[in-house]
Amino acid sequence: FPLLFANFQNARKLIFLQFSHRMHDIPPYTLVEQGTERLWADFKKTVRDLEWTSTDNTVLWATPQLSSTRCICAERISDGSMLGCCVWHEHEGFIWIGFYITHPSHKGWGLGTKIWSRAMERIQPTNKAIGLRAVSKMCNKYKSGATPVEISRIKKHLLTVDQMKEFCARYERPDCCLELYHEMREDQRDDLRRFDHEITGQNRTEWLDKLFASDESQIAVLFKETKVCAYAGVSTVGHPELNLFKIGPCFASSVAEFALLTKWLMQWVEKFPSGAKIIVSILTGSAGERHLAHALGHPISDELVTLFSEEFETKMNLDMCYVPNNAHCHFDA
């Protein structure tokens, strides 16, 4: 019995020492409500390191610049680096939580809970609806908290460039003129903003100006006569070695228009190293789900669930939504 007791005491001591050691892995920090240049740089790197394929590099570049951006960051006192953050956006009368991150080396010891609690202290007094997108395995956790109402799901498809080009070749070219955004006149660009507002029901000028100006994106636009009738974008995702791209948005009237737009966007993708893959995100209830998903093929199991704090109806014209933006810095549908 004494030997068993001694072993038990030693085991307790070992567990305590391990716990104490892990607790000291989290260095002294403070929670701040405004990002610094260093914090935003660490934010971008952490998201890329985690290989979040649901966001893209244009979003990471634009987020610190948008007037709608709010954040809580855990800032290491010694050097100003980021240990974790919660980033959200206040626009169109609701809150959209885009990022909730704890650095992998500091997970499991309560830092994320402190960041989330401080964020909720700022968000909940606004009395605005709260929304976010969660990966499937985290859905129940978020449903049990501030966002219990499921609104929609996004299902992903993953194709090689050759598979995408083969898909596009199946469809006859619609009777439209195509322009790339950087070649368009200013009046055409104004009409594109008008078209986006008509489809999404939102004034997205600030976000669109970032999307259209980004070196990490390419935008193709279709015109019938002199009016915009469809457009689509593609953006880089993650670190360059990932060689991954994301289509989004694509607002159009037919799969043939989607195919024509995407065909031209693939020419931009092919300027990057060979072997690139393309993510296409399809929203439940949209034209993309009804007309594109089955024809496109190549679905993957990675799924996102849209959750809100209350019933929430999108303003999006879903009959024109083949691919949503699915941007962490902006909710379109």
Side-chain angles (χ1 to χ4, degrees), residues 163-326:
Q163 287 168 336
M164 183 62 81
K165 289 168 65 177
E166 180 185 351
F167 168 82
C168 295
R170 300 179 206 163
Y171 296 88
E172 293 186 8
R173 178 182 175 121
D175 185 21
C176 302
C177 297
L178 186 141
E179 296 273 0
L180 298 178
Y181 181 81
H182 66 271
E183 299 172 345
M184 288 164 49
R185 303 187 308 269
E186 193 57 41
D187 62 309
Q188 293 174 315
R189 295 178 179 185
D190 288 341
D191 194 56
L192 176 57
R193 296 184 188 95
R194 173 206 59 79
F195 175 79
D196 185 90
H197 188 280
E198 182 180 292
I199 301 303
T200 65
Q202 299 182 51
N203 180 358
R204 308 201 310 159
T205 299
E206 185 182 22
W207 158 240
L208 292 177
D209 287 348
K210 299 300 182 188
L211 173 64
F212 299 157
S214 172
D215 292 336
E216 302 288 347
S217 297
Q218 178 68 285
I219 307 296
V221 184
L222 295 184
F223 290 84
K224 285 186 178 178
E225 297 179 353
T226 60
K227 294 293 185 181
V228 173
C229 64
Y231 86 97
V234 64
S235 301
T236 63
V237 175
H239 289 300
E241 55 268 26
L242 198 59
N243 206 9
L244 190 64
F245 298 79
K246 188 185 85 170
I247 298 290
C250 180
F251 303 144
S253 299
S254 67
V255 178
E257 289 182 351
F258 169 88
L260 176 57
L261 290 162
T262 305
K263 175 183 176 181
W264 278 82
L265 294 176
M266 289 305 100
Q267 294 182 27
W268 182 74
V269 172
E270 288 184 308
K271 295 179 181 179
F272 292 81
S274 61
K277 293 189 175 180
I278 315 297
I279 293 174
V280 182
S281 300
I282 305 293
L283 178 72
T284 54
S286 70
E289 182 183 43
R290 294 193 299 272
H291 307 303
L292 179 61
H294 179 72
L296 194 63
H298 306 284
I300 57 177
S301 58
D302 191 8
E303 186 176 58
L304 299 173
V305 185
T306 313
L307 302 173
F308 267 82
S309 56
E310 58 193 60
E311 292 294 338
F312 190 88
E313 187 173 348
T314 178
K315 298 177 182 178
M316 173 73 75
N317 178 355
L318 294 175
D319 292 333
M320 295 282 288
C321 180
Y322 278 78
V323 183
N325 255 142
N326 185 27

Side-chain angles (χ1 to χ4, degrees), residues 132-146:
L132 55 81
R133 280 202 172 106
V135 294
S136 297
K137 66 180 181 181
M138 297 297 293
C139 183
N140 289 337
K141 175 181 178 180
Y142 288 112
K143 279 186 174 181
S144 67

Side-chain angles (χ1 to χ4, degrees), residues 61-92:
W61 168 74
T63 293
Q65 305 175 56
L66 295 172
S67 63
S68 60
T69 299
R70 310 286 184 268
C71 68
I72 294 292
C73 296
E75 181 181 39
R76 188 197 298 254
I77 290 175
S78 63
D79 62 6
S81 61
M82 189 199 78
L83 306 181
C85 68
C86 181
V87 180
W88 68 96
H89 297 265
E90 296 186 15
H91 56 85
E92 296 287 331

Side-chain angles (χ1 to χ4, degrees), residues 109-142:
W109 297 100
L111 177 61
T113 300
K114 290 182 172 63
I115 293 171
W116 183 263
S117 296
R118 178 66 67 83
M120 288 300 109
E121 287 175 7
R122 288 187 59 191
I123 290 171
Q124 290 178 330
T126 67
N127 293 318
K128 295 179 179 179
I130 304 169
L132 55 81
R133 280 202 172 106
V135 294
S136 297
K137 66 180 181 181
M138 297 297 293
C139 183
N140 289 337
K141 175 181 178 180
Y142 288 112

